[in-house]
Amino acid sequence: MAAEGGGKEMNEIKTQFTTREGVYKLLTHSEYSRPNRVPFNSQGSNPVKVSFVNVNDQSGNGDRICFNVGRELYFYIYKGVRKAADLSKPIDKRIYKGTQPTCHDFNPLTATAESVSLLVGFSAGQVQLIDPIKKETSKLFNEERLIDKSRVTCVRWVPGSESLFLVAHSSGSMYLYNVENTCGTTAPHYQLLKQGENYAVHTCKSKSARNPLLRWTVGEGALNEFAFSPDGKFLACASQDGFLRVFGFDAAELHGTMKSYFGGLLCVCWSPDGRYIVAGGEDDLVTVWSFSDCRVIARGHGHKSWVSVVAFDHCTTSVEDGDPPAEFSGSDEDFHEQIHFGAGRDRANSSHSRLSKRNSTDSRPVSVTYRFGSVGQDTQLCLWDLTEDILFPHLPLSRTRTHTNVMSATSPPATGQTTTTTTTTTTITTTVSTTNPSGTNGKDIVSNSSTSGNPANSLPSTLPRSNSLPHSSAPTGGSTPNSHTGSNNSSSTTTTTTTTTKGNSIIDSAFIATGVSKFATLSLHDSRKERHEKDHKRNHSMGHISSKSSDKLNQLSSSRTAKTEVAKTLGTTLCPRMEDVPLLEPLVCKKIAHERLTVLIFLEDCLVTACQEGFVCTWARPGKVGLLSSQNNPANSPSGTVV
């Protein structure tokens, strides 16, 4: 599905792109797909998803890949940048009837060369636990659909646990399961355990241990994705009602919320140190939210349609140690204790410990750059840099940045309006490339009346798309093309008030033993959302309305609801106006597929993308092409495949 508009160059599929690190190259021989390599007819099917696990194989081929295409599920040895993919002999292949796999997740704690635990969620609501190496199906959960009849949207093992896993459904409910427990032959009865603003947690009433342990009911409409924090203590939920909700998982306490600029939120991810959350969705934006301050600190505009996946690149996220941090204030110390990585659940990479030393109120923060990426239904891959002039706009930089443009903040002049000019406190000694002071993006997102025109912040000078706008280290009330606030808005909102909600959320270790609850089904929103999804699956714009009158009414009613919600939250800390927060532009924005993109995963020597046609692509990081080919390690797969 080619992106609309943009000329011929926009419709060319890119096979490489350049960042400051160098050139990322598509490895055509490392493409994974169905064995016949025929593009999958994705009409009406669930998104292609990819899961990885490392089984610590002595041969050096420890990575395993699982992906679903339509009714089929495949499990291969993943050779990445080392060797070409051999699709002729998958370790395991399954074809399902009557239902389709929608999502899956490996348990990294129990994975060995002889056995892996893979959870698979299905479109009819069931969850299967399989071992694709032993080719066994050990258990089926929600088999009779007595717990939830709606599609499984996300399934994850609880970090640090070999037996607990969490499942989200399009009904808006999440359930906590234990693999050791059965599901029972009757519908579960629930007892209220905890209730808060737009969420409730129920425990399952039963004389003997049975699933689900807990039911969470969160927001309205589908719960599209959730993600555990790197330390496993917090849970971020992205919902169709447009809200990001972050909970303390063990205590089921709401830590903070954020509202999308428009429409539902479809995806969410955490930074490697747990300090920031990025969400994407139907507003075509990526939104960066600060965990400690519980507020939006930046938005990114580069996609022309819904954002389907966001992910942080832990390998390119860089930290340079600055001066020793100042003493903690009370609330920040509490926060630091909360996100401190416990030994049992530690998934830290090399930058975790250094990142966690940083305090958001330090007078001399360390020099830090977070890299994250996003893919969308516009078939485009975007890469973004989040640097300290965005993270700490009111503080001087700890050291000179060599790849970030920071100029005196002049907002792009809007017609007939004067603008406010603010001089930044940041000193930069690098050469700043020429910018276009009146340059605005100019392209309004179809689904979003107020999109661009704000100063872009923290953009590398070496990349052409990144320096088309004036840059600032503090936002200065520029007006968007369709601004909601009249004229001169010298807003320094981003840098002034910070709201910390529920900073000292309690962690009750006994909570998990009792079980964690799941939230109830909202059938009205569920049915409306499913019809809406079907209608929109191949369309770029939110404004598209099909010719069917029922769908027309359906979309109109949802847009009315959306407008009401926007009216309530726009301009608040839940959803700041476009001119109130820095607007990022992507370092890279490339069309890399013919069909909508559904996967983005960053690995040590490559990044992996997948589109709805069923092609899983490997992009070698700079200098990593064929890096390990000289080792010539044989592929000791159970099926004896050797390439």
mmCIF file of all heavy atoms in Angstrom, residues 433-467:
data_model
loop_
_atom_site.group_PDB
_atom_site.id
_atom_site.type_symbol
_atom_site.label_atom_id
_atom_site.label_comp_id
_atom_site.label_asym_id
_atom_site.label_seq_id
_atom_site.Cartn_x
_atom_site.Cartn_y
_atom_site.Cartn_z
ATOM 1 N N SER A 433 24.122 24.400 11.013
ATOM 2 C CA SER A 433 23.824 24.538 9.592
ATOM 3 C C SER A 433 22.716 25.550 9.377
ATOM 4 O O SER A 433 21.916 25.822 10.263
ATOM 5 C CB SER A 433 23.400 23.186 9.021
ATOM 6 O OG SER A 433 22.246 22.751 9.670
ATOM 7 N N THR A 434 22.670 26.103 8.172
ATOM 8 C CA THR A 434 21.688 27.134 7.855
ATOM 9 C C THR A 434 20.292 26.567 7.972
ATOM 10 O O THR A 434 20.007 25.487 7.510
ATOM 11 C CB THR A 434 21.889 27.617 6.412
ATOM 12 O OG1 THR A 434 23.268 27.888 6.240
ATOM 13 C CG2 THR A 434 21.066 28.845 6.125
ATOM 14 N N THR A 435 19.431 27.324 8.616
ATOM 15 C CA THR A 435 18.054 26.860 8.732
ATOM 16 C C THR A 435 17.133 27.853 8.060
ATOM 17 O O THR A 435 17.496 28.984 7.778
ATOM 18 C CB THR A 435 17.643 26.736 10.208
ATOM 19 O OG1 THR A 435 17.743 28.029 10.792
ATOM 20 C CG2 THR A 435 18.555 25.768 10.953
ATOM 21 N N ASN A 436 15.939 27.407 7.840
ATOM 22 C CA ASN A 436 14.940 28.267 7.231
ATOM 23 C C ASN A 436 14.046 28.789 8.329
ATOM 24 O O ASN A 436 13.234 28.057 8.866
ATOM 25 C CB ASN A 436 14.145 27.414 6.225
ATOM 26 C CG ASN A 436 12.969 28.184 5.669
ATOM 27 O OD1 ASN A 436 12.872 29.389 5.877
ATOM 28 N ND2 ASN A 436 12.077 27.482 4.990
ATOM 29 N N PRO A 437 14.198 30.067 8.718
ATOM 30 C CA PRO A 437 13.466 30.560 9.886
ATOM 31 C C PRO A 437 11.962 30.470 9.731
ATOM 32 O O PRO A 437 11.253 30.420 10.700
ATOM 33 C CB PRO A 437 13.936 32.001 10.027
ATOM 34 C CG PRO A 437 14.507 32.356 8.701
ATOM 35 C CD PRO A 437 15.012 31.106 8.088
ATOM 36 N N SER A 438 11.488 30.512 8.528
ATOM 37 C CA SER A 438 10.031 30.453 8.382
ATOM 38 C C SER A 438 9.594 29.065 7.967
ATOM 39 O O SER A 438 8.459 28.848 7.603
ATOM 40 C CB SER A 438 9.569 31.459 7.327
ATOM 41 O OG SER A 438 10.152 31.126 6.090
ATOM 42 N N GLY A 439 10.511 28.111 7.998
ATOM 43 C CA GLY A 439 10.186 26.774 7.497
ATOM 44 C C GLY A 439 9.270 26.027 8.428
ATOM 45 O O GLY A 439 9.620 25.721 9.538
ATOM 46 N N THR A 440 8.109 25.726 7.977
ATOM 47 C CA THR A 440 7.234 24.854 8.735
ATOM 48 C C THR A 440 7.021 23.612 7.914
ATOM 49 O O THR A 440 7.242 23.612 6.710
ATOM 50 C CB THR A 440 5.870 25.527 9.003
ATOM 51 O OG1 THR A 440 5.266 25.794 7.740
ATOM 52 C CG2 THR A 440 6.027 26.810 9.775
ATOM 53 N N ASN A 441 6.595 22.591 8.594
ATOM 54 C CA ASN A 441 6.411 21.339 7.873
ATOM 55 C C ASN A 441 5.328 21.481 6.820
ATOM 56 O O ASN A 441 5.409 20.940 5.743
ATOM 57 C CB ASN A 441 6.061 20.228 8.864
ATOM 58 C CG ASN A 441 6.331 18.879 8.287
ATOM 59 O OD1 ASN A 441 5.991 18.652 7.125
ATOM 60 N ND2 ASN A 441 6.939 17.994 9.059
ATOM 61 N N GLY A 442 4.275 22.188 7.170
ATOM 62 C CA GLY A 442 3.283 22.536 6.162
ATOM 63 C C GLY A 442 2.302 21.450 5.847
ATOM 64 O O GLY A 442 1.292 21.707 5.220
ATOM 65 N N LYS A 443 2.577 20.216 6.248
ATOM 66 C CA LYS A 443 1.648 19.140 5.918
ATOM 67 C C LYS A 443 0.807 18.843 7.137
ATOM 68 O O LYS A 443 1.304 18.346 8.124
ATOM 69 C CB LYS A 443 2.408 17.880 5.521
ATOM 70 C CG LYS A 443 3.317 18.046 4.342
ATOM 71 C CD LYS A 443 3.851 16.672 3.932
ATOM 72 C CE LYS A 443 5.065 16.796 3.044
ATOM 73 N NZ LYS A 443 6.307 16.864 3.771
ATOM 74 N N ASP A 444 -0.480 19.156 7.091
ATOM 75 C CA ASP A 444 -1.351 18.825 8.201
ATOM 76 C C ASP A 444 -1.677 17.353 8.152
ATOM 77 O O ASP A 444 -1.979 16.809 7.107
ATOM 78 C CB ASP A 444 -2.677 19.615 8.114
ATOM 79 C CG ASP A 444 -2.464 21.052 8.544
ATOM 80 O OD1 ASP A 444 -1.293 21.411 8.723
ATOM 81 O OD2 ASP A 444 -3.449 21.773 8.690
ATOM 82 N N ILE A 445 -1.629 16.695 9.285
ATOM 83 C CA ILE A 445 -2.070 15.314 9.336
ATOM 84 C C ILE A 445 -3.576 15.317 9.121
ATOM 85 O O ILE A 445 -4.293 16.126 9.675
ATOM 86 C CB ILE A 445 -1.746 14.707 10.710
ATOM 87 C CG1 ILE A 445 -0.246 14.852 10.987
ATOM 88 C CG2 ILE A 445 -2.184 13.271 10.787
ATOM 89 C CD1 ILE A 445 0.134 14.419 12.357
ATOM 90 N N VAL A 446 -4.048 14.376 8.314
ATOM 91 C CA VAL A 446 -5.459 14.377 7.960
ATOM 92 C C VAL A 446 -6.318 14.249 9.198
ATOM 93 O O VAL A 446 -7.342 14.881 9.334
ATOM 94 C CB VAL A 446 -5.745 13.203 6.999
ATOM 95 C CG1 VAL A 446 -7.203 13.206 6.601
ATOM 96 C CG2 VAL A 446 -4.872 13.312 5.769
ATOM 97 N N SER A 447 -5.845 13.405 10.139
ATOM 98 C CA SER A 447 -6.666 13.129 11.294
ATOM 99 C C SER A 447 -6.453 14.144 12.404
ATOM 100 O O SER A 447 -6.943 13.986 13.494
ATOM 101 C CB SER A 447 -6.331 11.751 11.823
ATOM 102 O OG SER A 447 -4.978 11.717 12.180
ATOM 103 N N ASN A 448 -5.706 15.189 12.135
ATOM 104 C CA ASN A 448 -5.248 16.026 13.223
ATOM 105 C C ASN A 448 -5.182 17.463 12.738
ATOM 106 O O ASN A 448 -4.370 17.805 11.922
ATOM 107 C CB ASN A 448 -3.856 15.499 13.599
ATOM 108 C CG ASN A 448 -3.322 16.200 14.801
ATOM 109 O OD1 ASN A 448 -3.888 17.207 15.225
ATOM 110 N ND2 ASN A 448 -2.245 15.686 15.346
ATOM 111 N N SER A 449 -6.065 18.318 13.248
ATOM 112 C CA SER A 449 -6.150 19.649 12.680
ATOM 113 C C SER A 449 -4.968 20.520 13.057
ATOM 114 O O SER A 449 -4.659 21.482 12.403
ATOM 115 C CB SER A 449 -7.425 20.317 13.175
ATOM 116 O OG SER A 449 -7.377 20.447 14.572
ATOM 117 N N SER A 450 -4.286 20.191 14.139
ATOM 118 C CA SER A 450 -3.206 21.047 14.600
ATOM 119 C C SER A 450 -1.958 20.217 14.764
ATOM 120 O O SER A 450 -1.783 19.542 15.744
ATOM 121 C CB SER A 450 -3.616 21.652 15.933
ATOM 122 O OG SER A 450 -2.627 22.471 16.430
ATOM 123 N N THR A 451 -1.087 20.250 13.751
ATOM 124 C CA THR A 451 -0.004 19.271 13.773
ATOM 125 C C THR A 451 1.371 19.867 13.828
ATOM 126 O O THR A 451 2.134 19.577 14.713
ATOM 127 C CB THR A 451 -0.088 18.393 12.529
ATOM 128 O OG1 THR A 451 -0.034 19.250 11.384
ATOM 129 C CG2 THR A 451 -1.352 17.590 12.492
ATOM 130 N N SER A 452 1.728 20.684 12.852
ATOM 131 C CA SER A 452 3.131 21.064 12.765
ATOM 132 C C SER A 452 3.285 22.562 12.889
ATOM 133 O O SER A 452 2.379 23.275 13.242
ATOM 134 C CB SER A 452 3.696 20.570 11.436
ATOM 135 O OG SER A 452 2.965 21.142 10.397
ATOM 136 N N GLY A 453 4.468 23.036 12.582
ATOM 137 C CA GLY A 453 4.704 24.466 12.648
ATOM 138 C C GLY A 453 5.402 24.886 13.917
ATOM 139 O O GLY A 453 5.681 26.048 14.107
ATOM 140 N N ASN A 454 5.672 23.964 14.809
ATOM 141 C CA ASN A 454 6.385 24.314 16.024
ATOM 142 C C ASN A 454 7.871 24.141 15.827
ATOM 143 O O ASN A 454 8.302 23.392 14.988
ATOM 144 C CB ASN A 454 5.939 23.408 17.170
ATOM 145 C CG ASN A 454 4.485 23.652 17.507
ATOM 146 O OD1 ASN A 454 4.013 24.754 17.347
ATOM 147 N ND2 ASN A 454 3.796 22.617 17.952
ATOM 148 N N PRO A 455 8.676 24.809 16.645
ATOM 149 C CA PRO A 455 10.113 24.606 16.511
ATOM 150 C C PRO A 455 10.473 23.168 16.784
ATOM 151 O O PRO A 455 9.980 22.574 17.722
ATOM 152 C CB PRO A 455 10.698 25.520 17.598
ATOM 153 C CG PRO A 455 9.602 26.433 17.978
ATOM 154 C CD PRO A 455 8.323 25.746 17.681
ATOM 155 N N ALA A 456 11.353 22.619 15.977
ATOM 156 C CA ALA A 456 11.832 21.261 16.250
ATOM 157 C C ALA A 456 13.006 21.372 17.186
ATOM 158 O O ALA A 456 13.776 22.301 17.131
ATOM 159 C CB ALA A 456 12.253 20.594 14.960
ATOM 160 N N ASN A 457 13.112 20.427 18.049
ATOM 161 C CA ASN A 457 14.169 20.478 19.043
ATOM 162 C C ASN A 457 15.070 19.279 18.900
ATOM 163 O O ASN A 457 14.626 18.191 18.648
ATOM 164 C CB ASN A 457 13.557 20.468 20.444
ATOM 165 C CG ASN A 457 12.666 21.657 20.647
ATOM 166 O OD1 ASN A 457 13.092 22.699 21.091
ATOM 167 N ND2 ASN A 457 11.397 21.504 20.294
ATOM 168 N N SER A 458 16.340 19.487 19.161
ATOM 169 C CA SER A 458 17.286 18.388 19.248
ATOM 170 C C SER A 458 17.371 17.583 17.975
ATOM 171 O O SER A 458 16.998 16.436 17.933
ATOM 172 C CB SER A 458 16.854 17.485 20.405
ATOM 173 O OG SER A 458 17.329 16.204 20.251
ATOM 174 N N LEU A 459 17.818 18.214 16.904
ATOM 175 C CA LEU A 459 17.877 17.515 15.631
ATOM 176 C C LEU A 459 19.284 17.579 15.064
ATOM 177 O O LEU A 459 19.882 18.643 14.989
ATOM 178 C CB LEU A 459 16.905 18.174 14.645
ATOM 179 C CG LEU A 459 15.491 18.260 15.202
ATOM 180 C CD1 LEU A 459 14.627 19.071 14.275
ATOM 181 C CD2 LEU A 459 14.900 16.886 15.391
ATOM 182 N N PRO A 460 19.843 16.443 14.640
ATOM 183 C CA PRO A 460 21.219 16.432 14.139
ATOM 184 C C PRO A 460 21.389 17.281 12.892
ATOM 185 O O PRO A 460 20.556 17.278 12.017
ATOM 186 C CB PRO A 460 21.455 14.956 13.814
ATOM 187 C CG PRO A 460 20.456 14.215 14.618
ATOM 188 C CD PRO A 460 19.283 15.126 14.748
ATOM 189 N N SER A 461 22.535 18.003 12.847
ATOM 190 C CA SER A 461 22.766 18.908 11.730
ATOM 191 C C SER A 461 23.196 18.175 10.474
ATOM 192 O O SER A 461 23.236 18.749 9.408
ATOM 193 C CB SER A 461 23.841 19.916 12.118
ATOM 194 O OG SER A 461 25.010 19.217 12.482
ATOM 195 N N THR A 462 23.522 16.891 10.594
ATOM 196 C CA THR A 462 24.042 16.175 9.433
ATOM 197 C C THR A 462 22.946 15.586 8.563
ATOM 198 O O THR A 462 23.224 15.044 7.516
ATOM 199 C CB THR A 462 24.933 15.028 9.899
ATOM 200 O OG1 THR A 462 24.180 14.208 10.811
ATOM 201 C CG2 THR A 462 26.184 15.538 10.586
ATOM 202 N N LEU A 463 21.708 15.655 9.020
ATOM 203 C CA LEU A 463 20.642 14.987 8.277
ATOM 204 C C LEU A 463 19.663 15.988 7.700
ATOM 205 O O LEU A 463 19.181 16.864 8.398
ATOM 206 C CB LEU A 463 19.916 14.012 9.209
ATOM 207 C CG LEU A 463 20.871 12.893 9.624
ATOM 208 C CD1 LEU A 463 20.445 12.284 10.916
ATOM 209 C CD2 LEU A 463 20.939 11.848 8.536
ATOM 210 N N PRO A 464 19.335 15.851 6.411
ATOM 211 C CA PRO A 464 18.583 16.883 5.714
ATOM 212 C C PRO A 464 17.199 17.146 6.280
ATOM 213 O O PRO A 464 16.767 18.268 6.345
ATOM 214 C CB PRO A 464 18.478 16.343 4.281
ATOM 215 C CG PRO A 464 18.762 14.876 4.386
ATOM 216 C CD PRO A 464 19.685 14.733 5.542
ATOM 217 N N ARG A 465 16.474 16.080 6.741
ATOM 218 C CA ARG A 465 15.121 16.302 7.223
ATOM 219 C C ARG A 465 15.115 16.950 8.590
ATOM 220 O O ARG A 465 14.097 17.396 9.074
ATOM 221 C CB ARG A 465 14.361 14.976 7.302
ATOM 222 C CG ARG A 465 13.832 14.488 5.989
ATOM 223 C CD ARG A 465 12.983 13.276 6.228
ATOM 224 N NE ARG A 465 11.835 13.570 7.067
ATOM 225 C CZ ARG A 465 10.636 13.885 6.612
ATOM 226 N NH1 ARG A 465 10.419 13.959 5.315
ATOM 227 N NH2 ARG A 465 9.644 14.132 7.428
ATOM 228 N N SER A 466 16.260 16.949 9.248
ATOM 229 C CA SER A 466 16.252 17.303 10.653
ATOM 230 C C SER A 466 16.512 18.769 10.924
ATOM 231 O O SER A 466 16.362 19.204 12.040
ATOM 232 C CB SER A 466 17.300 16.483 11.384
ATOM 233 O OG SER A 466 17.133 15.130 11.069
ATOM 234 N N ASN A 467 16.954 19.518 9.926
ATOM 235 C CA ASN A 467 17.285 20.902 10.229
ATOM 236 C C ASN A 467 16.480 21.878 9.384
ATOM 237 O O ASN A 467 16.933 22.942 9.051
ATOM 238 C CB ASN A 467 18.789 21.143 10.053
ATOM 239 C CG ASN A 467 19.252 20.666 8.697
ATOM 240 O OD1 ASN A 467 18.423 20.476 7.811
ATOM 241 N ND2 ASN A 467 20.550 20.481 8.530
#
